[in-house]
Amino acid sequence: MKVLVLNCGSSSIKYKMFNMSNEVVLASGLVERIGMDGSKLIHKPTDKDKYQFEVDIPNHEVGINLILNALIDETHGVLNSMDEIDAIGHRTVHGGDKFSDSVLIDESVKQKLEDLIDLAPLHNPPGLMGINACERLLPNVPQVGVFDTAFHQTMPAASYTYALPYELCQKHKIRRYGFHGTSHKYVAYRAAELTGKDIKNCKIITCHLGNGASISAINNGKVMDTSMGFTPLEGLVMGTRCGLIDPAIIPFVMEKENLTTRKINELINKKSGVLGISGISSDFRDLEEAAQNGNERAQLALDVFTHVVKKTIGSYVAILNGVDVLVFTAGLGENSIYIREKICEGMNYLGITISKQKNNVRGEERIISKEGASTKVVIVPTNEELMIARDTKRIIEQQLSDSDFSWDYDSQGNRNNEKVFSL
Ligand code: AMP
């Protein structure tokens, strides 16, 4: 089965084309600056030269059409025809409490996504634009929605309920949803595999530490708690987001600085986090360098970041009543030797001790805990696109098995028979 994975943002579309018979990426790429000057397509076929095409891209449909044409291009393409695309998987940010798993997209799913726009005004509309464009361009190809929130839907009410008036929360659907779910799921399953544990019978804490950062507590494959909340702002200190602060600070600053809701939102989302503390950068590479050169605020930003991560891990160990595997992923989790070392420092009481030598690695899948440590500490580079492609394949196969139909593939993963998907 060949699956096209799309991640539609407001002005960009990222894509990856997978052959799922061996999970190989055939091509990947990016459409950027949709609706702006300088819009272009960057297409990277795995076994051919990279190709860049600057052209006016006024909307998502034109962008997706360009991607499809690049995929079948005589020189740069990786498919003989668009008929080879068996399914499309869409990264969809917000599934609210309506989706606890990935889903085959039909009219009722699209309506639910419309209903969720209030909760994700920046992210769900471009996702819907992508879905509608694919429907028009490839009407017979099934599409699957894979939600950033879905993996977290197993959280118990005690984890997702905020202590605000109950009716108010019900009325406006205010609760913890959690994000980065596709990444937490991918790395949790992979870490269990790597450490020889059964995901259905172990306690895992996954740390997705990138520009956006979140931690999840996973018991027997089910999320019990996660640090992001109603929005991706809650929880850890991030590149530019403040994470958890005393909520009373918000009206206090608004009054003192005479700020509108737009301005305060900008302040807590774009000007806070390690950027706000250091006054230097949101990039941890810059901060590590500045701190090494004696910049005290850069050091403070790193200290606050690692302190909050440590505190969250500790609280999740309490919730899980132990931890078998601690996972680091995303830009910082995969690459920063310093941050991993600082987070794990002084946690031997919890069975967490890492080897300096094993930790001396960037962007590689590896167990870094000391031999014999009761908690395995693992680096797993995240792969959200592969998770989306796997989920898309799973959902399509489920659908096909419900309809007593199967697709027949040759050894190269090419489909031999035809089915027009009826939704
Ligand atoms: P992401 O959002 O997952 O792409 O992660 C981006 C963050 O990863 C950046 O802000 C960087 O600070 C961090 N990062 C990437 N590479 C390194 C590295 N070699 N050392 C420290 N931090 C890194």
Side-chain angles (χ1 to χ4, degrees):
M1 181 183 292
K2 289 183 183 150
V3 175
L4 174 62
V5 172
L6 291 179
N7 181 355
C8 295
S10 55
S11 65
S12 70
I13 307 168
K14 293 187 191 127
Y15 65 96
K16 257 190 191 172
M17 185 76 224
F18 285 91
N19 183 346
M20 292 307 289
S21 61
N22 46 11
E23 296 193 336
V24 160
V25 176
L26 301 173
S28 62
L30 166 74
V31 165
E32 58 184 13
R33 299 183 63 81
I34 297 173
M36 296 182 227
D37 285 346
S39 50
K40 63 181 169 203
L41 164 85
I42 303 166
H43 176 67
K44 300 179 204 155
T46 304
D47 295 325
K48 294 178 181 174
D49 291 340
K50 184 173 143 182
Y51 154 84
Q52 189 161 313
F53 186 42
E54 284 181 35
V55 62
D56 194 25
I57 308 175
N59 57 45
H60 285 68
E61 186 157 338
V62 172
I64 292 174
N65 204 17
L66 275 175
I67 295 171
L68 296 175
N69 282 313
L71 289 170
I72 59 163
D73 185 85
E74 232 172 80
T75 319
H76 309 282
V78 293
L79 306 174
N80 292 320
S81 84
M82 288 188 208
D83 289 346
E84 285 185 43
I85 302 174
D86 295 306
I88 301 171
H90 289 269
R91 177 179 183 230
T92 313
V93 170
H94 217 309
D97 59 0
K98 296 183 194 296
F99 300 104
S100 55
D101 194 4
S102 303
V103 66
L104 185 71
I105 293 170
D106 60 12
E107 285 307 312
S108 83
V109 169
K110 276 170 41 183
Q111 185 53 54
K112 285 181 184 149
L113 288 175
E114 289 270 355
D115 298 343
L116 287 167
I117 284 178
D118 246 9
L119 296 180
L122 296 180
H123 294 107
N124 277 20
L128 267 164
M129 277 190 256
I131 290 168
N132 286 326
C134 289
E135 234 173 49
R136 282 190 291 270
L137 294 165
L138 297 171
N140 295 324
V141 177
Q143 303 191 64
V144 171
V146 180
F147 303 92
D148 248 21
T149 47
F151 188 48
H152 300 303
Q153 277 293 303
T154 50
M155 272 186 291
S159 297
Y160 68 69
T161 306
Y162 288 116
L164 289 166
Y166 191 81
E167 294 75 17
L168 183 83
C169 291
Q170 296 273 304
K171 183 174 166 197
H172 297 294
K173 301 188 184 313
I174 299 170
R175 50 161 284 177
R176 178 182 309 286
Y177 290 104
F179 298 88
H180 292 146
T182 310
S183 174
H184 286 288
K185 183 175 177 184
Y186 175 82
V187 300
Y189 275 78
R190 184 67 194 134
E193 233 170 63
L194 270 176
T195 54
K197 311 256 180 214
D198 174 5
I199 184 102
K200 296 270 181 287
N201 187 26
C202 75
K203 297 164 180 177
I204 305 181
I205 296 177
T206 46
C207 305
H208 178 112
L209 309 178
N211 214 357
S214 66
I215 305 192
S216 294
I218 301 162
N219 191 28
N220 303 338
K222 294 202 160 112
V223 175
M224 292 290 117
D225 206 346
T226 191
S227 60
M228 281 181 169
F230 177 61
T231 73
L233 182 61
E234 196 188 334
L236 307 179
V237 171
M238 306 181 210
T240 60
R241 294 178 217 154
C242 64
L244 189 64
I245 56 170
D246 182 338
I249 296 170
I250 305 277
F252 180 82
V253 172
M254 285 178 83
E255 260 179 48
K256 292 281 179 198
E257 297 287 319
N258 199 16
L259 298 184
T260 58
T261 40
R262 195 175 65 77
K263 281 282 173 202
I264 191 78
N265 252 322
E266 195 180 307
L267 187 132
I268 56 183
N269 276 291
K270 303 251 164 77
K271 297 185 175 167
S272 299
V274 289
L275 169 68
I277 299 172
S278 69
I280 294 178
S281 172
S282 62
D283 193 306
F284 282 76
R285 284 165 288 202
D286 300 338
L287 296 177
E288 286 182 27
E289 197 186 321
Q292 266 169 12
N293 292 331
N295 186 304
E296 287 179 10
R297 272 175 58 187
Q299 187 60 56
L300 179 63
L302 295 173
D303 292 347
V304 173
F305 178 83
T306 49
H307 175 82
V308 176
V309 171
K310 237 179 149 85
K311 193 160 80 170
T312 309
I313 293 173
S315 67
Y316 286 178
V317 173
I319 281 169
L320 294 175
N321 190 21
V323 55
D324 300 312
V325 186
L326 175 67
V327 192
F328 287 106
T329 192
L332 191 55
E334 292 165 25
N335 293 301
S336 177
I337 295 161
Y338 171 84
I339 288 288
R340 286 192 303 259
E341 188 178 316
K342 283 291 157 197
I343 291 168
C344 295
E345 202 173 72
M347 292 223 274
N348 40 339
Y349 176 77
L350 300 178
I352 297 170
T353 50
I354 62 171
S355 144
K356 228 178 165 60
Q357 180 227 332
K358 290 180 188 165
N359 185 41
N360 193 14
V361 67
R362 298 185 201 274
E364 223 178 77
E365 206 171 68
R366 187 185 276 192
I367 298 175
I368 58 169
S369 42
K370 281 190 180 156
E371 205 65 44
S374 58
T375 301
K376 300 272 180 249
V377 183
V378 198
I379 304 167
V380 179
T382 194
N383 196 339
E384 289 166 274
E385 294 88 357
L386 178 57
M387 192 73 241
I388 294 171
R390 281 182 185 164
D391 260 25
T392 301
K393 179 170 179 269
R394 172 174 60 85
I395 297 290
I396 298 296
E397 283 174 350
Q398 253 168 29
Q399 193 73 14
L400 289 172
S401 73
D402 290 348
S403 66
D404 286 333
F405 178 91
S406 68
W407 273 330
D408 173 34
Y409 293 96
D410 67 18
S411 58
Q412 311 299 312
N414 295 315
R415 181 161 30 89
N416 289 328
N417 57 345
E418 209 38 67
K419 175 180 168 79
V420 174
F421 234 81
S422 54
L423 299 175

